[in-house]
Amino acid sequence: MPETRTTADFWFDPLCPWAWMTSRWMLEVQEVRPVDVRWHVMSLAVLNENKLDELPEEYREMLATQAWGPVRVAVAAEQLHGPEVLGRLYTAMGTRFHNEGLGPTREAMAAALADAGLPAGLLEYAEKDTYDAELRASHKEGINKVGQDVGTPVISVPGPDGTEVAFFGPVVTPAPKGEAAARLWDGTLLVASTPGFYEIKRTRTEGPIFD
């Protein structure tokens, strides 16, 4: 019998380097476990819009000047070309923004659209609120699964008993590969599906390691 594959829903903001690391791990998980990733957009700008006064000035500036464009382009691509384009567009954006160190510039977004085989005209939506309602709906769907006090990414997957298991993270660097990726997936599902389990954490001592 063919193995039964599970869908893992993954909410990302392409601006976040830690979500990028987690997403690369999930691509490894697809290769070593019967899991298929389905991509969705969430937004750090939306997540933080009601608590800007609590944030450092540098982070507020980043949200105001850099956070809206990439997610607006991603949602426009999803709305106009279907959800199946999100995975390759995210890979193209993340490679340009993070691995190549270009950040979320218009030039990097334009190159990412070309890399993903998508129309250059989608870049126009970086400055438009045309699909902000759809962006907010996608964000809300993901964040409602885990609560407002987390960030990106959010992952949701059917648990061992068929009930939904959703969690933020894991935050990891570098992205594990091969059997190490599989072990982290198995362990994450184990703790996340434990009733009453909420958090495990330690201080980060390294930044994202892109490879």
Side-chain angles (χ1 to χ4, degrees):
M1 291 180 60
E3 65 180 357
T4 300
R5 297 188 66 84
T6 296
T7 297
D9 289 289
F10 189 108
W11 279 264
F12 67 92
D13 184 321
L15 191 62
C16 178
W18 294 105
W20 173 245
M21 299 301 300
T22 308
S23 73
R24 300 309 91 182
W25 163 66
M26 282 303 304
L27 293 184
E28 283 288 316
V29 171
Q30 283 192 139
E31 300 300 318
V32 293
R33 289 291 184 267
V35 174
D36 296 309
V37 182
R38 184 163 55 194
W39 306 96
H40 309 269
V41 181
M42 64 183 295
S43 167
L44 290 172
V46 173
L47 180 68
N48 290 287
E49 63 184 351
N50 294 322
K51 49 186 177 183
L52 293 176
D53 292 344
E54 305 169 16
L55 302 175
E57 181 178 353
E58 182 179 356
Y59 194 71
R60 290 200 306 270
E61 178 70 12
M62 181 275 294
L63 292 176
T65 61
Q66 300 181 20
W68 283 102
V71 291
R72 281 173 165 168
V73 170
V75 169
E78 178 186 30
Q79 294 298 311
L80 296 173
H81 299 279
E84 64 276 4
V85 307
L86 278 179
R88 70 175 188 264
L89 178 56
Y90 182 29
T91 289
M93 281 185 168
T95 300
R96 296 281 180 169
F97 294 178
H98 305 301
N99 291 56
E100 297 181 12
L102 301 178
T105 64
R106 287 184 64 85
E107 293 78 11
M109 286 189 281
L113 288 168
D115 292 344
L118 290 166
L122 287 169
L123 184 61
E124 298 175 8
Y125 291 94
E127 306 298 331
K128 296 180 178 180
D129 63 1
T130 308
Y131 296 111
D132 278 11
E134 290 80 1
L135 169 60
R136 289 178 179 276
S138 180
H139 173 88
K140 182 178 180 181
E141 181 185 8
I143 206 68
N144 279 354
K145 296 178 182 296
V146 291
Q148 296 292 324
D149 58 342
V150 300
T152 176
V154 170
I155 299 174
S156 175
V157 66
D161 61 355
T163 60
E164 182 183 46
V165 174
F167 49 89
F168 158 71
V171 176
V172 61
T173 188
K177 295 179 171 59
E179 188 56 30
R183 289 196 302 270
L184 179 58
W185 176 252
D186 295 342
T188 300
L189 287 188
L190 176 63
V191 297
S193 60
T194 299
F197 178 85
Y198 294 106
E199 187 172 0
I200 185 170
K201 191 173 183 178
R202 59 186 174 189
T203 299
R204 293 197 297 263
T205 57
E206 286 189 279
I209 299 172
F210 307 122
D211 55 19

